[in-house]
Amino acid sequence: MAQRILIVDANEAFATMLRQGLEEIKDTHVRAVFSGRDALQAVAAANYDLVIVDLGLSDVEGAGLVRTLRQEHPHVRIMIIPL
């Protein structure tokens, strides 16, 4: 079964680079979104094994997004990019 990873980062260039690198891992599906709002919609629409969140989002507070993800989707592992 393929691993599903969601990248949430306002920096599109960095998110794209990270997505491309992770997609090289066999049986891994990676999606990148660039806002907290899009992240919440993506997680509600599909099951992800890992969500990588940059705390420096422009539309929502990153820590608040992480709290919401943990409350609403406790099965999802979360990796935080602090800067």
Side-chain angles (χ1 to χ4, degrees), residues 42-69:
V43 172
N47 291 322
Y48 287 93
D49 300 295
L50 174 65
V51 178
I52 301 172
V53 179
D54 178 17
L55 293 182
L57 297 171
S58 58
D59 68 328
V60 298
E61 179 193 11
L65 174 62
V66 169
R67 277 192 299 277
T68 299
L69 289 172

Side-chain angles (χ1 to χ4, degrees), residues 17-63:
M17 179 188 68
L18 183 56
R19 179 184 54 79
Q20 290 171 340
L22 290 170
E23 284 179 336
E24 292 182 12
I25 300 170
K26 184 179 178 180
D27 295 327
T28 302
H29 172 76
V30 185
R31 178 176 177 198
V33 296
F34 312 110
S35 72
R37 211 173 355 257
D38 288 344
L40 291 173
Q41 289 176 349
V43 172
N47 291 322
Y48 287 93
D49 300 295
L50 174 65
V51 178
I52 301 172
V53 179
D54 178 17
L55 293 182
L57 297 171
S58 58
D59 68 328
V60 298
E61 179 193 11

